[in-house]
Amino acid sequence: MAIQLNDRDHLIFKLIDEHEVLLEKHISWFIAGEEKPVLIRDRLRKLFYLDYLLCHRHGSKLPWWTTPTKPLVYMLSPMTRGLSGFEDNQEELLSNEFQRHHLEVANLRMLYLVAQKDQQICDFTWKTMKAERITETGLDAKAVFNCGGSATKVGLVNNLLSGCAQDKLATLTSALGSENIDSILLISRDDQDRSALQKSIIDYGGDLATRAFFATHQELYRDGIVGTRWQLANGQSADLFKPGQVTFMPGFGDNQIAV
């Protein structure tokens, strides 16, 4: 059974190529723009049955996935990569850790779209970094948005491990200038990882220590991109979305959550 591919199908292919792997919920949000996310399950299933997409259940339990059934992960088939002129997919595409990392980055993009839909931010744009650009910049993505009348440009780094090499921190420091971003947001998987990363960056010092903001995935999923009380490298809380300034708040530790 053949189908006529439409513009939305090609947009789906482009989004999956950009992110490597995506869940149905991600795709629904990404193609909706500022409108309500649309139901696309039937279309994704049809594209899978006709070999345009690959689909399988993620191999392990994702801590942020709330249903008992493991999520269905969508990838591009070799046929679609050839049809659309995309490069061959990476060998580790079926790796659980590879998928988890890329799905977490997609989650961050979706949270920005939720904030825009809720009119907390506007004029949001996003760019996912591909492998070569990740090596060059240390960033997984860049986001630009307007909050309170002020345009903000940030780089995002997902799950940067503590004790990372000095050259990695030097790359992130350079990215502040080369990528023309105001700050770097570092998202960790739990409080312990965040605290260790904060110490590593404080020890490294320089611009990175003053322009890096930290949060965990749990906090972001609970409170949203804007509602989360981001932390500075020294552990103080900061109002990242207050135009033109960072507001320090006392009580370091009172926004910790159990994991």
Side-chain angles (χ1 to χ4, degrees):
M1 177 180 64
I3 60 171
Q4 183 70 38
L5 295 175
N6 56 40
D7 290 343
R8 193 173 71 171
D9 294 331
H10 287 289
L11 177 57
I12 291 171
F13 299 158
K14 182 178 178 181
L15 287 166
I16 296 177
D17 175 66
E18 177 184 353
H19 282 273
E20 307 286 358
V21 295
L22 285 176
L23 306 181
E24 177 187 329
K25 189 172 184 179
H26 295 142
I27 300 170
S28 297
W29 274 94
F30 296 170
I31 68 175
E34 296 185 7
E35 306 298 327
K36 289 182 62 176
V38 294
L39 296 174
I40 58 168
R41 179 169 301 176
D42 290 345
R43 191 64 176 182
L44 291 176
R45 299 294 190 274
K46 181 169 287 188
L47 292 171
F48 164 65
Y49 292 138
L50 296 177
D51 296 326
Y52 288 101
L53 299 180
L54 303 177
C55 177
H56 79 123
R57 291 204 179 276
H58 184 71
S60 61
K61 184 71 172 73
L62 298 169
W64 41 264
W65 187 252
T66 56
T67 61
T69 305
K70 294 172 184 175
L72 287 173
V73 181
Y74 286 95
M75 301 163 283
L76 292 182
S77 70
M79 179 183 75
T80 300
R81 289 192 173 277
L83 175 70
S84 302
F86 299 136
E87 295 181 3
D88 291 339
N89 55 331
Q90 301 184 40
E91 292 181 1
E92 62 260 72
L93 203 60
L94 296 177
S95 160
N96 284 348
E97 279 304 305
F98 179 91
Q99 290 185 1
R100 175 174 171 173
H101 171 78
H102 286 79
L103 293 175
E104 287 174 346
V105 173
N107 283 348
L108 299 174
R109 180 176 185 172
M110 188 173 69
L111 288 173
Y112 273 104
L113 290 170
V114 171
Q116 180 164 259
K117 182 176 178 293
D118 292 341
Q119 299 183 336
Q120 295 174 326
I121 63 173
C122 62
D123 302 328
F124 167 67
T125 61
W126 172 280
K127 180 180 180 181
T128 308
M129 298 293 193
K130 303 294 275 187
E132 183 177 344
R133 293 286 290 139
I134 292 174
T135 301
E136 292 174 355
T137 67
L139 305 175
D140 291 306
K142 289 170 59 178
V144 180
F145 56 91
N146 191 306
C147 183
S150 177
T152 302
K153 302 175 183 178
V154 299
L156 295 100
V157 181
N158 180 60
N159 196 36
L160 181 64
L161 298 178
S162 62
C164 51
Q166 296 288 294
D167 58 349
K168 177 72 170 180
L169 299 181
T171 299
L172 288 176
T173 302
S174 296
L176 288 165
S178 64
E179 298 301 311
N180 189 29
I181 52 180
D182 303 313
S183 55
I184 294 178
L185 312 185
L186 298 112
I187 297 90
S188 300
R189 290 181 178 171
D190 55 43
D191 292 333
Q192 183 177 353
D193 282 353
R194 174 178 59 186
S195 296
L197 180 58
Q198 286 170 306
K199 183 180 184 306
S200 294
I201 291 180
I202 280 288
D203 291 342
Y204 181 79
D207 283 348
L208 186 61
T210 59
R211 294 167 64 182
F213 295 83
F214 303 79
T216 65
H217 282 279
Q218 294 95 328
E219 291 170 319
L220 292 171
Y221 303 154
R222 182 190 64 195
D223 300 326
I225 286 285
V226 175
T228 292
R229 292 179 64 186
W230 293 80
Q231 290 186 9
L232 296 169
N234 63 8
Q236 289 183 290
S237 295
D239 188 351
L240 179 59
F241 291 86
K242 190 167 186 176
Q245 63 178 328
V246 171
T247 302
F248 298 101
M249 293 176 282
F252 168 57
D254 63 2
N255 64 339
Q256 303 296 307
I257 60 174
V259 289

